Amino acid sequence: MHKVLYIFKKMKDNSISVNYQKFWDEKYLNKENNWELNHPTQVFVDLLNSPFGLEKGKLLALGCGSGHDAILFAENGFEVTINDFSSQAISKAKKNAETKRIHIEFLQKDLFELGELFAEGFDYVLEYTTYCAINPARRTEYRDVVHKVLKNGGLFIALFFPLQNKAEHYPPFSVDVIETYNIFSENFKLKYFEKPKSSVKPRLNNEVLMIWEK
Ligand SMILES: C[S@@+](CC[C@H](N)C(=O)[O-])C[C@H]1O[C@@H](n2cnc3c(N)ncnc32)[C@H](O)[C@@H]1O
């Protein structure tokens, strides 16, 4: 490949393409969904068993791919709605929920449309590797959606990854801790902060668990 073209390809950041369902459907169809753990993260397992003591409630999982983390919360008694705009992601999540015989609502929509549709509809919003998948220029817009769909006193449970992108492509777009604190502290209170020890090995020290209260 011509050197200039190669560098362009390598550096391509996709910050516009990520706004579209097609980009994500193709990732799944081409088996480029290399973010997939195929199991819930141990970080959420530990959180559910921790003294933090999350009470059961209505939980919205944003951009939740094949749904393993959302299914974990459903198995623990939460009333879960799975959101993703990729039809491929939703069908994988449906299959996984069926295998576990667990009831979940599915919402195939652009998450940026949810604020108007579900104002104050949820006790919890769950985030894992979606914030790093959206165009970084839309991060305050994302925060406003989370704020809108949560009830007063509701919690935003976010495992932010990656603090540094060690790969040579975007997404994932890096999530700077200070920048994230500044964005969310504008209209949320930080209730919990941890650099988890139980992150999956390749992500150890490269993700942070934050719980924010509306
Ligand atoms: C990197 S994947 C992460 C999936 C899942 N959270 C996980 O941890 O395996 C990002 C997911 O967000 C979805 N997504 C990206 N932008 C979205 C948007 N604007 N609305 C809804 N889903 C979106 C994609 O379709 C994809 O399934």
Side-chain angles (χ1 to χ4, degrees), residues 24 28 35 63-65 84-86 109-112 128-130:
W24 294 102
Y28 288 102
W35 58 82
C64 92
D84 205 294
F85 66 2
S86 158
K109 271 203 175 302
D110 189 326
L111 71 89
F112 291 102
Y128 192 28
T129 66
T130 301

Side-chain angles (χ1 to χ4, degrees), residues 24 127-136 139 160-162 171-175:
W24 294 102
E127 153 65 43
Y128 192 28
T129 66
T130 301
Y131 191 70
C132 65
I134 60 164
N135 181 337
R139 286 179 170 178
F160 288 118
F161 167 86
F173 301 97
S174 298
V175 182

